[in-house]
Amino acid sequence: MKNNAIKTGGLIFWMVCLTMSFQSCGPDDPPIEPTPKTDKEVMLDFTSNFNGQLINYSTSTFTTSSMDTITPLRFKLILSNFVLTKMDNTVVNFPNTYGYVSFEENKRSVKLPAFAPGVFKKIEFQLGLDSAINHGDPSQWSAEHPLNTVLNDMHWGWSGGYKFVTHEGNFLKDGLNDVYTYHIATLPFATSISIDIQGNLNHTQDNAGTINIKCDLNHFFDGDNAFSIKTEGSSSHSAPAQASLINKLRANIKGMFSASAS
Amino acid sequence: MPVLANQMMKILGKFSAILVIVIVVSLIQFGCRKDVSTNPPKPDYIQLQKPFGFPAFISLKNNDLTEQGVMLGRMLFYDPILSEDSTQSCSSCHHQSAAFTDPNRRFSIGINGNVGKRNSMALFNLNWHVRGFFWDGRAATLQEQALMPIEDPAEMASSVPAALKRINGTLRYKQMFYKAFGVKEATGVELGKAIEQFLTTLISSDSKFDRSKRGGPGLSFDEMEGERLFNTENRPDFMIRGADCFHCHGESGLLFTNNEFFNNGLDDNLTDLGLFLTTGKVSDKGKFKAPSLRNLAFSAPYMHDGRFKTLDEVLDFYGDHVQLQSLNIDPLMKHSRPPQIQFNAQEKEYLKAFLNTLNDYTFISNPEFSNPFKN
């Protein structure tokens, strides 16, 4: 009887050990499925310069072709209606994509949602918004949305819509510091921009690519029209009566941008 | 040999039996025991309701709102335990009746009788402040902001470790911190989070102006004229009269501030360098945060140093006394160039009438924000 008890105890011991060793084995790892390829987003990276020179907003000083000595403080854009054009001239539209660029705050990225591969030669966008969005409820946007009014300070109040372009700074007038403020807004003054992409954007599912958009602030005052702050006006809030001034600036703005792909 | 083998089997068998018993008993123990420190009670999460017309809420970083966290923060806000001698709480300089400013006091007074250097800021709608707290933006988040007065010699004159020692020595707070954050001992992280949660709930959105936007009674003629002036640039070249307030105090939905920092031309000689003290940038000298224009009836005096006792004094400044050569004066003050705006008496009355539509009497009497120790 004693012998049986001993044998039974030994048997139990080894059964427990065997059971625990089975428990420590997990299920086999599932086989690794190859990641399916999907369309990718593309980033637009905006940078600014003044005739090729780096701009430190609030401190850099430049002289325009009209001999205005300026210190840019703020330069901001609201963008919409992005379009990419392929080599065969077919287009990809991004109707519900918006961008807010604030150069002095270094907020410079706009994301185009995922789209199919292709080689693209041109990018277009609007500095401005369509009527429904411009005069819609500004509180509808999520916290990270470019049109959220906490994120950007481009909204003009309950009924005024957004400023599309803001350019503010200091300039010297008769040796004293004066200020300039250009606010381009309202639907008649939305501005369409079209830029050839140098080197084309080769957008693939392995490599989405980035479009680098440079903005030469010198063109704001010296594009199609040489613009003098001192003589033509140091501010605008886009009243209809200011159409002449605003349209001069808009013509200059059209030539501010260049694009390349990486 | 067989005798030896038999003896070994005996020992092995006994050992096996004992081992099996130990293993079984241990499994039963581990299976049934609830470790209090790894399984704190689940808190009750809160979803704040976005007020009509306001921008979307901004999520707090790693600090979801809970009933337990908000209540804890509220108690800490009103409890003088945070100060070195336990005589002063946050509410000592932030009275609910004054929209959480220090009523009619230019500078607040700390526990040692030290006088502060800046006017106590109103506390409401703080969730939408994304560019820093305090007049000079020195706190990036509310969590940081909540702890700074504890260590300020001119305010609570304590330290966060000392305050935590007092808090963790209180059974009630130990229990509340455990329920809110699952910690047995609070650190500065949980202390900041609790106060942040309470401050986030301080939402002011029930003024006459808000109600008019929600379809309630409209504004009077005087109030509407004030609103028009408020939202209009002054353009004498186009014969347009405006107060141009909206550029700094109106462009972020109904917040009545864009929470940016500006030099509004208060002083020719800058005695307080403002934002520069935080950023070190020369171009930030003299800049201060633009406060919300809600609740002005309760939050006098005005400006970062409380220099103006009344709205009339504020309007006199903006109409006639902007210091145009102040260093870094903002371009948006351009309309103050000579001859300056020069409000007439009627325009001042219109503007005051409109500003008074932004006073929220519900907010200053809401029991959910009041002193819980008095209930």
Side-chain angles (χ1 to χ4, degrees):
Chain A
M1 195 139 143
K2 241 190 204 177
N3 270 345
N4 282 343
I6 291 165
K7 281 181 189 170
T8 304
L11 185 63
I12 292 171
F13 171 73
W14 289 117
M15 281 179 67
V16 169
C17 287
L18 202 63
T19 305
M20 286 173 71
S21 70
F22 274 126
Q23 289 288 337
S24 71
C25 291
D28 286 344
D29 291 332
I32 296 174
E33 298 283 345
T35 305
K37 292 196 176 184
T38 56
D39 293 341
K40 292 216 175 348
E41 303 162 336
V42 161
M43 294 302 290
L44 309 181
D45 182 26
F46 285 81
T47 56
S48 65
N49 64 84
F50 191 95
N51 207 14
Q53 300 173 69
L54 176 72
I55 303 176
N56 285 316
Y57 287 87
S58 299
T59 55
S60 294
T61 299
F62 306 101
T63 304
T64 69
S65 63
S66 302
M67 305 312 290
D68 289 316
T69 303
I70 67 167
T71 301
L73 299 185
R74 302 184 186 109
F75 187 47
K76 303 173 194 273
L77 309 169
I78 289 280
L79 310 104
S80 67
N81 289 314
F82 295 91
V83 180
L84 283 173
T85 303
K86 286 184 173 178
M87 301 302 287
D88 63 1
N89 292 321
T90 56
V91 298
V92 177
N93 289 293
F94 302 89
N96 298 314
T97 298
Y98 304 93
Y100 167 59
V101 172
S102 171
F103 290 103
E104 77 279 4
E105 294 179 286
N106 206 30
K107 290 177 180 167
R108 49 193 266 190
S109 296
V110 178
K111 187 162 60 180
L112 298 182
F115 57 99
V119 180
F120 297 88
K121 62 177 180 178
K122 184 166 69 175
I123 180 168
E124 296 164 88
F125 52 84
Q126 184 181 58
L127 294 178
L129 299 167
D130 296 337
S131 177
I133 299 296
N134 193 37
H135 294 290
D137 179 5
S139 70
Q140 66 179 293
W141 310 109
S142 66
E144 287 80 34
H145 194 280
L147 298 183
N148 179 290
T149 55
V150 173
L151 189 73
N152 74 57
D153 56 356
M154 299 287 270
H155 196 261
W156 248 356
W158 193 253
S159 59
Y162 288 81
K163 291 176 282 190
F164 303 152
V165 177
T166 291
H167 183 190
E168 298 166 357
N170 296 324
F171 75 106
L172 285 178
K173 186 176 178 184
D174 301 327
L176 288 177
N177 195 42
D178 204 337
V179 298
Y180 65 85
T181 58
Y182 299 109
H183 298 162
I184 298 177
T186 74
L187 299 172
F189 298 133
T191 306
S192 296
I193 305 295
S194 176
I195 324 168
D196 292 331
I197 303 173
Q198 291 170 22
N200 301 324
L201 171 69
N202 188 10
H203 175 63
T204 68
Q205 286 180 339
D206 290 317
N207 183 14
T210 300
I211 301 177
N212 304 299
I213 300 179
K214 290 185 182 175
C215 180
D216 184 351
L217 204 53
N218 180 43
H219 258 272
F220 193 92
F221 299 109
D222 191 21
D224 286 3
N225 308 286
F227 185 92
S228 167
I229 302 174
K230 285 198 274 297
T231 60
E232 299 191 64
S234 60
S235 73
S236 102
H237 61 288
S238 299
Q242 292 184 305
S244 172
L245 181 155
I246 303 267
N247 286 329
K248 263 190 181 175
L249 292 176
R250 289 175 67 225
N252 287 351
I253 287 169
K254 279 177 183 278
M256 285 177 78
F257 299 92
S258 62
S260 62
S262 59
Chain B
M1 258 321 251
V3 171
L4 183 61
N6 259 348
Q7 280 178 338
M8 285 183 71
M9 283 302 292
K10 276 186 200 173
I11 293 166
L12 191 63
K14 283 182 186 168
F15 173 75
S16 302
I18 293 168
L19 186 62
V20 166
I21 291 167
V22 167
I23 289 171
V24 169
V25 170
S26 298
L27 284 172
I28 291 170
Q29 281 271 23
F30 277 112
C32 295
R33 190 178 113 183
K34 276 186 185 174
D35 187 338
V36 173
S37 68
T38 57
N39 291 301
K42 204 174 170 189
D44 301 299
Y45 292 98
I46 296 173
Q47 193 84 13
L48 286 179
Q49 198 77 351
K50 182 179 87 76
F52 176 82
F54 275 56
F57 279 120
I58 297 165
S59 299
L60 299 181
K61 199 174 176 185
N62 300 322
N63 194 16
D64 292 332
L65 292 183
T66 65
E67 287 182 11
Q68 291 80 3
V70 170
M71 187 60 200
L72 174 57
R74 181 177 164 198
M75 288 180 64
L76 290 164
F77 184 87
Y78 284 99
D79 195 334
I81 197 173
L82 295 179
S83 58
E84 182 63 20
D85 61 358
S86 295
T87 61
Q88 195 172 71
S89 66
C90 308
S91 65
S92 301
C93 305
H94 294 282
H95 296 220
Q96 183 181 8
S97 62
F100 291 98
T101 62
D102 205 346
N104 300 313
R105 198 189 286 278
R106 192 171 169 188
F107 304 121
S108 301
I109 299 173
I111 64 166
N112 295 322
N114 293 333
V115 179
K117 292 177 189 166
R118 304 232 181 94
N119 185 248
S120 170
M121 296 190 87
L123 304 178
F124 55 81
N125 300 342
L126 299 172
N127 179 253
W128 293 279
H129 290 223
V130 296
R131 296 178 179 87
F133 295 89
F134 291 111
W135 288 105
D136 57 13
R138 65 184 183 273
T141 65
L142 263 181
Q143 287 182 39
E144 289 177 37
Q145 184 278 323
L147 302 183
M148 287 182 178
I150 297 173
E151 304 201 320
D152 192 326
E155 299 187 43
M156 295 180 176
S158 187
S159 68
V160 170
L164 287 168
K165 193 175 177 183
R166 293 188 289 272
I167 287 168
N168 288 322
T170 308
L171 178 61
R172 181 202 282 185
Y173 278 127
K174 280 179 75 79
Q175 291 170 337
M176 292 185 78
F177 271 100
Y178 181 69
K179 285 180 184 171
F181 300 108
V183 297
K184 288 183 177 175
E185 291 254 315
T187 69
V189 171
E190 290 82 31
L191 178 58
K193 282 186 176 183
I195 299 175
E196 179 182 57
Q197 288 202 26
F198 170 62
L199 292 178
T200 299
T201 66
L202 301 182
I203 294 174
S204 176
S205 62
D206 196 33
S207 66
K208 179 177 181 180
F209 183 80
D210 294 306
R211 293 182 188 183
S212 74
K213 290 299 175 193
R214 295 196 293 259
L219 303 187
S220 67
F221 173 81
D222 284 10
E223 292 161 350
M224 286 195 292
E225 276 298 294
E227 184 185 8
R228 185 188 62 75
L229 286 167
F230 186 95
N231 282 321
T232 303
E233 284 191 0
N234 192 50
R235 294 307 304 259
D237 45 342
F238 290 103
M239 312 286 281
I240 296 174
R241 293 289 292 167
D244 204 15
C245 314
F246 70 99
H247 272 129
C248 305
H249 293 288
E251 292 188 42
S252 289
L254 298 181
L255 300 176
F256 289 95
T257 171
N258 64 7
N259 287 313
E260 295 262 18
F261 296 81
F262 303 95
N263 180 344
N264 61 348
L266 276 172
D267 295 306
D268 247 344
N269 295 316
L270 300 177
T271 52
D272 186 342
L273 299 179
L275 183 63
F276 167 79
L277 298 172
T278 300
T279 66
K281 291 185 187 174
V282 172
S283 55
D284 286 338
K285 283 186 178 178
K287 292 185 181 177
F288 297 91
K289 191 164 179 180
S292 171
L293 298 189
R294 287 177 174 271
N295 300 316
L296 293 177
F298 319 123
S299 60
Y302 310 107
M303 300 293 165
H304 67 277
D305 56 3
R307 64 179 66 185
F308 297 135
K309 296 192 192 69
T310 66
L311 287 181
D312 279 306
E313 290 181 22
V314 173
L315 293 174
D316 280 344
F317 160 70
Y318 279 116
D320 298 277
H321 300 294
V322 172
Q323 302 302 307
L324 294 165
Q325 289 306 311
S326 181
L327 179 65
N328 301 322
I329 186 170
D330 200 274
L332 295 171
M333 298 304 297
K334 62 187 181 296
H335 300 303
S336 298
R337 62 169 69 110
Q340 306 220 10
I341 299 179
Q342 296 181 334
F343 297 122
N344 60 41
Q346 182 66 80
E347 287 168 337
K348 288 181 187 175
E349 292 306 309
Y350 285 153
L351 281 166
K352 285 190 292 182
F354 171 65
L355 291 172
N356 279 326
T357 69
L358 305 181
N359 299 321
D360 183 353
Y361 292 85
T362 309
F363 176 72
I364 63 167
S365 58
N366 189 335
E368 290 181 17
F369 307 147
S370 64
N371 188 343
F373 297 103
K374 286 188 178 172
N375 290 344

